[in-house]
Amino acid sequence: MPLDSALPSFVPAGAPADLTVALVSYRSLSFLPRCFETLRVASAGLRVRVVVVDNASGDGGLEWLATHAPDAVVIANADNVGFGRANNQVLPLLGEEPLLLLNTDAFVAPDSLHAALAALAADPALGLLGVRLVDENGLPAPAARHFPGLVSGFAQKVGLKRGDPHADELVADPATTPGAPALRPCDWVVGCFYLVRGAVLRQVGLFDPRYFLYFEEVDHCLRTRQAGWQIACLATTTVVHVGGGSAAQMPGFAAGARQVSVLQVESALLYWRKHGGLLGLMTALGLGLLADAVLALKAWAKARLGRGAAGDAAVHARNARQWWTLARATGFGTRPTR
């Protein structure tokens, strides 16, 4: 189906814009129609430029864009360069306007762009903004995050810290929750809807290219906070985020719920070495190994008692070996492997 003339068109490269939206696509053809339809509806009354960076998907997405979104700027990579590097490719196309990083499996509400830009304009100290997220069933998803902690993360992983680890990271809707703030300050926001002020990009830049996937938003938000900017999550508009659609198809992504992704472990090692030095890296490595050793022992004991699967202990043992293997492969957190 050709471009729907009843919906707003996007502005071309080089033209003045109120907002540039970056979409990184990796085998996400199934999400593109809904993503573009909701994005066009939300763009009414705004000059929006959309830049799609395709990470060598090979799934027909480029052909779909040529037919259904010819007004989008398309960058076609010959290889999958990862999430952070792909978003960085959009920077040369920017003017002074803010940049919205939007996942292809994130579907904006009709008011999302207007509400987010208004919140950014209302507070000159606000450098970076996320929004309330829900899943396909309308259930709240974590959006306003805390910076990771090594000890708290270990305690949560091995079961010493009870309860939902994301319970205090959910953003309540003020329309249904009396007293819920419209704007919630936080440490970092999830990258599926990630609005960055242009001045922040000029001062701080965007993502550290060493992160292939995971931790790039955490690192960028930390640097943004260190530069004196505030970060918050807006609760008055809601974005539906499916989650994991593209990442699950990447090499190094673990399919099992108990198996830790190679991509996550590598990025964690790079992050803790960068922001904690050698001591931070060795602490992260030690706690990661210890956590999997504890979990492997617990799984083995449960299996012996007939309360767990016999293979669970082996999964945690593989995770522990993965921590050590990747620590060596990254030069103990000093370089990426991809």
Side-chain angles (χ1 to χ4, degrees):
M1 159 174 101
L3 180 64
D4 187 347
S5 60
L7 295 175
S9 295
F10 302 125
V11 301
D18 301 310
L19 175 70
T20 288
V21 179
L23 293 167
V24 174
S25 180
Y26 180 70
R27 299 180 183 175
S28 54
L29 174 60
S30 61
F31 298 120
L32 290 179
R34 184 178 174 189
C35 179
F36 267 84
E37 181 180 4
T38 56
L39 191 53
R40 287 191 190 279
V41 171
S43 297
L46 294 170
R47 297 172 300 173
V48 176
R49 177 173 26 254
V50 173
V51 183
V52 181
V53 184
D54 183 85
N55 265 338
S57 297
D59 63 346
L62 291 174
E63 292 76 10
W64 187 92
L65 290 166
T67 301
H68 299 279
D71 51 343
V73 181
V74 177
I75 300 172
N77 288 330
D79 300 295
N80 183 0
V81 301
F83 180 75
R85 297 170 200 158
N87 276 301
N88 286 348
Q89 290 178 261
V90 179
L91 293 179
L93 301 176
L94 287 178
E96 301 290 317
E97 74 276 7
L99 173 65
L100 172 64
L101 310 185
L102 184 70
N103 279 17
T104 53
D105 63 351
F107 311 123
V108 296
D111 68 336
S112 291
L113 302 187
H114 284 272
L117 288 173
L120 205 65
D123 186 354
L126 185 60
L128 207 153
L129 185 73
V131 297
R132 182 175 183 268
L133 302 176
V134 297
D135 63 17
E136 285 277 52
N137 298 315
L139 298 175
R145 301 291 192 99
H146 304 294
F147 285 133
L150 287 171
V151 175
S152 61
F154 169 82
Q156 188 71 52
K157 186 174 180 179
V158 300
L160 296 175
K161 187 177 180 182
R162 300 295 181 181
D164 183 352
H166 301 304
D168 57 352
E169 298 177 347
L170 302 177
V171 177
D173 183 354
T176 58
T177 307
L183 201 63
R184 177 177 174 180
C186 58
D187 290 336
W188 67 281
V189 296
V190 179
C192 64
F193 187 105
Y194 194 88
L195 181 62
V196 191
R197 188 184 295 274
V200 171
L201 295 171
R202 291 187 290 275
Q203 181 182 0
V204 178
L206 193 54
F207 293 142
D208 184 332
R210 297 182 307 157
Y211 301 105
F212 186 86
L213 186 67
Y214 300 114
F215 278 86
E216 61 278 303
E217 310 110 299
V218 188
D219 174 83
H220 184 250
C221 285
L222 179 56
R223 290 186 284 121
T224 299
R225 288 278 297 269
Q226 289 171 341
W229 295 95
Q230 295 176 9
I231 297 169
C233 195
L234 182 66
T236 56
T237 187
T238 300
V239 167
V240 176
H241 182 220
V242 175
S246 294
Q249 303 180 65
M250 291 188 180
F253 186 90
R258 292 183 179 85
Q259 187 174 343
V260 181
S261 167
V262 171
L263 302 173
Q264 289 175 303
V265 173
E266 177 170 325
S267 292
L269 293 170
L270 294 170
Y271 175 85
W272 288 112
R273 181 61 187 264
K274 178 177 180 178
H275 295 289
L278 183 59
L279 177 60
L281 179 280
M282 296 307 294
T283 303
L285 177 59
L287 289 176
L289 292 170
L290 180 58
D292 280 307
V294 170
L295 291 172
L297 183 60
K298 289 172 66 175
W300 175 83
K302 287 182 178 179
R304 294 276 295 187
L305 295 172
R307 299 176 183 173
D312 285 351
V315 170
H316 294 300
R318 285 197 297 271
N319 288 342
R321 289 195 296 270
Q322 185 171 274
W323 274 95
W324 179 249
T325 299
L326 285 171
R328 295 181 63 186
T330 59
F332 290 92
T334 60
R335 60 177 183 267
T337 64
R338 65 190 75 214

Short mmCIF file of all heavy atoms in Angstrom, two decimals, residues 185-223:
data_model
loop_
_atom_site.label_atom_id
_atom_site.label_comp_id
_atom_site.label_asym_id
_atom_site.label_seq_id
_atom_site.Cartn_x
_atom_site.Cartn_y
_atom_site.Cartn_z
N PRO A 185 11.40 12.37 38.41
CA PRO A 185 12.86 12.35 38.27
C PRO A 185 13.38 10.93 38.44
O PRO A 185 12.84 10.14 39.22
CB PRO A 185 13.35 13.26 39.39
CG PRO A 185 12.17 14.11 39.76
CD PRO A 185 10.97 13.24 39.54
N CYS A 186 14.43 10.60 37.71
CA CYS A 186 15.00 9.26 37.81
C CYS A 186 16.46 9.30 37.38
O CYS A 186 16.97 10.35 36.97
CB CYS A 186 14.22 8.27 36.93
SG CYS A 186 14.15 8.71 35.18
N ASP A 187 17.14 8.15 37.48
CA ASP A 187 18.55 8.07 37.09
C ASP A 187 18.71 7.87 35.59
O ASP A 187 19.52 8.52 34.95
CB ASP A 187 19.24 6.92 37.83
CG ASP A 187 19.40 7.19 39.31
OD1 ASP A 187 19.42 8.37 39.71
OD2 ASP A 187 19.52 6.22 40.09
N TRP A 188 17.93 6.92 35.04
CA TRP A 188 18.01 6.69 33.60
C TRP A 188 16.68 6.16 33.10
O TRP A 188 15.87 5.66 33.87
CB TRP A 188 19.15 5.74 33.24
CG TRP A 188 19.03 4.31 33.68
CD1 TRP A 188 19.28 3.82 34.93
CD2 TRP A 188 18.66 3.18 32.88
NE1 TRP A 188 19.09 2.46 34.96
CE2 TRP A 188 18.71 2.03 33.72
CE3 TRP A 188 18.32 3.01 31.54
CZ2 TRP A 188 18.42 0.75 33.26
CZ3 TRP A 188 18.03 1.73 31.08
CH2 TRP A 188 18.08 0.63 31.92
N VAL A 189 16.44 6.33 31.81
CA VAL A 189 15.19 5.88 31.20
C VAL A 189 15.48 4.87 30.11
O VAL A 189 16.56 4.87 29.49
CB VAL A 189 14.38 7.07 30.63
CG1 VAL A 189 13.94 8.00 31.74
CG2 VAL A 189 15.16 7.83 29.57
N VAL A 190 14.52 4.01 29.87
CA VAL A 190 14.66 2.94 28.90
C VAL A 190 14.74 3.52 27.48
O VAL A 190 14.01 4.45 27.13
CB VAL A 190 13.48 1.96 29.01
CG1 VAL A 190 13.59 0.83 28.00
CG2 VAL A 190 13.43 1.39 30.43
N GLY A 191 15.60 2.92 26.66
CA GLY A 191 15.90 3.48 25.35
C GLY A 191 14.85 3.28 24.29
O GLY A 191 15.02 3.74 23.16
N CYS A 192 13.71 2.63 24.61
CA CYS A 192 12.69 2.44 23.57
C CYS A 192 11.97 3.75 23.24
O CYS A 192 11.44 3.92 22.14
CB CYS A 192 11.70 1.37 23.98
SG CYS A 192 10.74 1.77 25.45
N PHE A 193 11.93 4.70 24.19
CA PHE A 193 11.47 6.07 23.96
C PHE A 193 12.41 6.96 24.76
O PHE A 193 12.32 7.03 25.98
CB PHE A 193 10.02 6.26 24.42
CG PHE A 193 9.43 7.61 24.07
CD1 PHE A 193 8.52 7.73 23.04
CD2 PHE A 193 9.80 8.76 24.76
CE1 PHE A 193 7.97 8.98 22.70
CE2 PHE A 193 9.27 10.00 24.44
CZ PHE A 193 8.35 10.11 23.41
N TYR A 194 13.32 7.64 24.06
CA TYR A 194 14.47 8.27 24.70
C TYR A 194 14.67 9.62 24.03
O TYR A 194 15.28 9.73 22.97
CB TYR A 194 15.67 7.35 24.47
CG TYR A 194 16.91 7.59 25.30
CD1 TYR A 194 17.07 7.00 26.54
CD2 TYR A 194 17.97 8.34 24.79
CE1 TYR A 194 18.24 7.15 27.27
CE2 TYR A 194 19.14 8.51 25.51
CZ TYR A 194 19.26 7.91 26.75
OH TYR A 194 20.44 8.06 27.46
N LEU A 195 14.10 10.66 24.64
CA LEU A 195 14.12 12.00 24.05
C LEU A 195 15.27 12.80 24.64
O LEU A 195 15.32 13.02 25.86
CB LEU A 195 12.79 12.70 24.31
CG LEU A 195 12.64 14.11 23.74
CD1 LEU A 195 12.73 14.11 22.22
CD2 LEU A 195 11.32 14.73 24.20
N VAL A 196 16.18 13.27 23.79
CA VAL A 196 17.38 13.97 24.24
C VAL A 196 17.38 15.39 23.68
O VAL A 196 17.20 15.60 22.47
CB VAL A 196 18.66 13.25 23.77
CG1 VAL A 196 19.88 13.83 24.47
CG2 VAL A 196 18.56 11.75 24.01
N ARG A 197 17.59 16.35 24.56
CA ARG A 197 17.69 17.75 24.14
C ARG A 197 18.92 17.93 23.25
O ARG A 197 19.98 17.34 23.49
CB ARG A 197 17.79 18.64 25.38
CG ARG A 197 17.70 20.13 25.10
CD ARG A 197 17.90 20.93 26.37
NE ARG A 197 16.84 20.74 27.35
CZ ARG A 197 15.70 21.43 27.37
NH1 ARG A 197 15.48 22.35 26.44
NH2 ARG A 197 14.80 21.20 28.31
N GLY A 198 18.79 18.77 22.24
CA GLY A 198 19.91 19.01 21.33
C GLY A 198 21.15 19.51 22.03
O GLY A 198 22.28 19.13 21.68
N ALA A 199 20.99 20.36 23.05
CA ALA A 199 22.14 20.89 23.77
C ALA A 199 22.90 19.78 24.50
O ALA A 199 24.12 19.84 24.64
CB ALA A 199 21.68 21.95 24.77
N VAL A 200 22.19 18.75 24.96
CA VAL A 200 22.85 17.61 25.61
C VAL A 200 23.70 16.86 24.60
O VAL A 200 24.84 16.46 24.89
CB VAL A 200 21.81 16.68 26.24
CG1 VAL A 200 22.45 15.38 26.73
CG2 VAL A 200 21.10 17.37 27.40
N LEU A 201 23.17 16.66 23.41
CA LEU A 201 23.92 15.95 22.37
C LEU A 201 25.18 16.70 21.99
O LEU A 201 26.23 16.09 21.75
CB LEU A 201 23.03 15.74 21.15
CG LEU A 201 21.82 14.84 21.35
CD1 LEU A 201 20.91 14.91 20.13
CD2 LEU A 201 22.25 13.42 21.62
N ARG A 202 25.09 18.02 21.95
CA ARG A 202 26.27 18.81 21.59
C ARG A 202 27.29 18.82 22.72
O ARG A 202 28.50 18.93 22.46
CB ARG A 202 25.84 20.24 21.23
CG ARG A 202 25.04 20.32 19.93
CD ARG A 202 24.78 21.74 19.50
NE ARG A 202 23.83 22.43 20.38
CZ ARG A 202 22.51 22.35 20.25
NH1 ARG A 202 21.98 21.61 19.30
NH2 ARG A 202 21.71 23.01 21.07
N GLN A 203 26.84 18.72 23.96
CA GLN A 203 27.75 18.74 25.10
C GLN A 203 28.30 17.35 25.45
O GLN A 203 29.50 17.18 25.70
CB GLN A 203 27.06 19.32 26.33
CG GLN A 203 27.94 19.39 27.57
CD GLN A 203 27.20 19.94 28.78
OE1 GLN A 203 26.02 20.28 28.71
NE2 GLN A 203 27.89 20.03 29.92
N VAL A 204 27.42 16.36 25.48
CA VAL A 204 27.77 15.02 25.97
C VAL A 204 27.96 14.02 24.84
O VAL A 204 28.68 13.05 24.98
CB VAL A 204 26.66 14.53 26.94
CG1 VAL A 204 26.96 13.13 27.45
CG2 VAL A 204 26.51 15.49 28.11
N GLY A 205 27.32 14.29 23.69
CA GLY A 205 27.30 13.30 22.62
C GLY A 205 26.18 12.31 22.85
O GLY A 205 25.26 12.54 23.66
N LEU A 206 26.25 11.17 22.16
CA LEU A 206 25.23 10.16 22.35
C LEU A 206 25.88 8.92 22.96
O LEU A 206 26.44 8.99 24.05
CB LEU A 206 24.51 9.86 21.03
CG LEU A 206 23.20 9.05 21.14
CD1 LEU A 206 22.20 9.66 22.11
CD2 LEU A 206 22.55 8.90 19.76
N PHE A 207 25.88 7.80 22.30
CA PHE A 207 26.27 6.54 22.93
C PHE A 207 27.75 6.22 22.75
O PHE A 207 28.35 6.50 21.70
CB PHE A 207 25.45 5.39 22.38
CG PHE A 207 23.99 5.46 22.74
CD1 PHE A 207 23.01 5.10 21.82
CD2 PHE A 207 23.59 5.88 24.00
CE1 PHE A 207 21.68 5.16 22.17
CE2 PHE A 207 22.25 5.95 24.34
CZ PHE A 207 21.29 5.58 23.42
N ASP A 208 28.32 5.61 23.78
CA ASP A 208 29.67 5.05 23.70
C ASP A 208 29.61 3.88 22.72
O ASP A 208 28.88 2.91 22.95
CB ASP A 208 30.09 4.57 25.09
CG ASP A 208 31.53 4.06 25.14
OD1 ASP A 208 32.03 3.57 24.10
OD2 ASP A 208 32.14 4.11 26.22
N PRO A 209 30.36 3.93 21.62
CA PRO A 209 30.24 2.90 20.58
C PRO A 209 30.74 1.52 21.01
O PRO A 209 30.56 0.55 20.27
CB PRO A 209 31.09 3.45 19.44
CG PRO A 209 32.06 4.38 20.08
CD PRO A 209 31.33 4.98 21.24
N ARG A 210 31.35 1.42 22.18
CA ARG A 210 31.83 0.11 22.61
C ARG A 210 30.69 -0.82 23.03
O ARG A 210 30.85 -2.03 23.01
CB ARG A 210 32.82 0.27 23.77
CG ARG A 210 34.07 1.04 23.40
CD ARG A 210 35.02 1.11 24.58
NE ARG A 210 34.35 1.63 25.77
CZ ARG A 210 34.75 1.41 27.02
NH1 ARG A 210 35.81 0.66 27.25
NH2 ARG A 210 34.10 1.93 28.04
N TYR A 211 29.54 -0.24 23.40
CA TYR A 211 28.40 -1.08 23.78
C TYR A 211 27.65 -1.51 22.52
O TYR A 211 27.08 -0.67 21.81
CB TYR A 211 27.44 -0.31 24.69
CG TYR A 211 28.06 0.20 25.97
CD1 TYR A 211 28.36 1.55 26.13
CD2 TYR A 211 28.32 -0.66 27.03
CE1 TYR A 211 28.91 2.03 27.31
CE2 TYR A 211 28.87 -0.20 28.22
CZ TYR A 211 29.17 1.15 28.34
OH TYR A 211 29.71 1.62 29.51
N PHE A 212 27.63 -2.80 22.25
CA PHE A 212 26.87 -3.30 21.10
C PHE A 212 25.38 -3.27 21.40
O PHE A 212 24.57 -2.88 20.57
CB PHE A 212 27.32 -4.73 20.78
CG PHE A 212 26.72 -5.29 19.53
CD1 PHE A 212 27.31 -5.06 18.30
CD2 PHE A 212 25.56 -6.05 19.58
CE1 PHE A 212 26.76 -5.57 17.13
CE2 PHE A 212 25.00 -6.57 18.41
CZ PHE A 212 25.60 -6.33 17.20
N LEU A 213 25.01 -3.69 22.59
CA LEU A 213 23.62 -3.69 23.05
C LEU A 213 23.64 -3.83 24.57
O LEU A 213 24.46 -4.57 25.10
CB LEU A 213 22.85 -4.86 22.42
CG LEU A 213 21.33 -4.91 22.70
CD1 LEU A 213 20.62 -3.75 22.02
CD2 LEU A 213 20.75 -6.23 22.18
N TYR A 214 22.75 -3.09 25.22
CA TYR A 214 22.63 -3.03 26.69
C TYR A 214 23.67 -2.08 27.31
O TYR A 214 24.80 -2.00 26.86
CB TYR A 214 22.75 -4.41 27.35
CG TYR A 214 21.71 -5.39 26.92
CD1 TYR A 214 22.05 -6.54 26.20
CD2 TYR A 214 20.36 -5.18 27.22
CE1 TYR A 214 21.09 -7.44 25.79
CE2 TYR A 214 19.39 -6.09 26.81
CZ TYR A 214 19.76 -7.21 26.10
OH TYR A 214 18.80 -8.10 25.70
N PHE A 215 23.24 -1.38 28.31
CA PHE A 215 24.03 -0.44 29.12
C PHE A 215 24.37 0.86 28.40
O PHE A 215 24.92 1.77 29.02
CB PHE A 215 25.32 -1.09 29.65
CG PHE A 215 25.12 -1.92 30.89
CD1 PHE A 215 24.74 -3.24 30.80
CD2 PHE A 215 25.30 -1.38 32.15
CE1 PHE A 215 24.54 -4.02 31.93
CE2 PHE A 215 25.11 -2.14 33.29
CZ PHE A 215 24.73 -3.47 33.18
N GLU A 216 24.07 0.99 27.10
CA GLU A 216 24.39 2.25 26.44
C GLU A 216 23.57 3.40 27.00
O GLU A 216 24.07 4.51 27.19
CB GLU A 216 24.22 2.16 24.91
CG GLU A 216 22.84 1.82 24.42
CD GLU A 216 22.55 0.34 24.45
OE1 GLU A 216 23.29 -0.43 23.84
OE2 GLU A 216 21.55 -0.05 25.09
N GLU A 217 22.27 3.15 27.33
CA GLU A 217 21.45 4.21 27.92
C GLU A 217 21.91 4.55 29.33
O GLU A 217 21.92 5.71 29.73
CB GLU A 217 19.97 3.82 27.96
CG GLU A 217 19.41 3.29 26.68
CD GLU A 217 19.12 1.81 26.83
OE1 GLU A 217 20.08 1.05 27.08
OE2 GLU A 217 17.95 1.42 26.69
N VAL A 218 22.28 3.52 30.10
CA VAL A 218 22.73 3.75 31.48
C VAL A 218 23.98 4.63 31.47
O VAL A 218 24.09 5.61 32.21
CB VAL A 218 23.03 2.41 32.18
CG1 VAL A 218 23.32 2.66 33.67
CG2 VAL A 218 21.89 1.44 32.02
N ASP A 219 24.91 4.27 30.62
CA ASP A 219 26.16 5.03 30.51
C ASP A 219 25.89 6.47 30.05
O ASP A 219 26.44 7.42 30.61
CB ASP A 219 27.08 4.32 29.51
CG ASP A 219 28.34 5.10 29.21
OD1 ASP A 219 29.30 5.01 29.99
OD2 ASP A 219 28.36 5.84 28.18
N HIS A 220 25.02 6.63 29.05
CA HIS A 220 24.73 7.96 28.53
C HIS A 220 24.00 8.82 29.57
O HIS A 220 24.30 10.01 29.72
CB HIS A 220 23.89 7.86 27.26
CG HIS A 220 23.62 9.18 26.61
ND1 HIS A 220 22.37 9.76 26.58
CD2 HIS A 220 24.46 10.06 25.99
CE1 HIS A 220 22.45 10.92 25.96
NE2 HIS A 220 23.69 11.13 25.59
N CYS A 221 23.06 8.22 30.29
CA CYS A 221 22.35 8.98 31.32
C CYS A 221 23.29 9.37 32.47
O CYS A 221 23.18 10.48 33.02
CB CYS A 221 21.17 8.18 31.86
SG CYS A 221 19.76 8.11 30.73
N LEU A 222 24.21 8.50 32.81
CA LEU A 222 25.17 8.83 33.86
C LEU A 222 26.03 10.02 33.43
O LEU A 222 26.26 10.96 34.20
CB LEU A 222 26.05 7.63 34.18
CG LEU A 222 27.13 7.82 35.25
CD1 LEU A 222 26.51 8.30 36.56
CD2 LEU A 222 27.89 6.51 35.47
N ARG A 223 26.50 10.00 32.19
CA ARG A 223 27.30 11.13 31.70
C ARG A 223 26.47 12.40 31.60
O ARG A 223 26.97 13.51 31.85
CB ARG A 223 27.89 10.78 30.33
CG ARG A 223 28.98 9.70 30.39
CD ARG A 223 29.64 9.47 29.05
NE ARG A 223 28.79 8.70 28.15
CZ ARG A 223 28.36 9.11 26.98
NH1 ARG A 223 28.64 10.34 26.56
NH2 ARG A 223 27.62 8.33 26.21
#
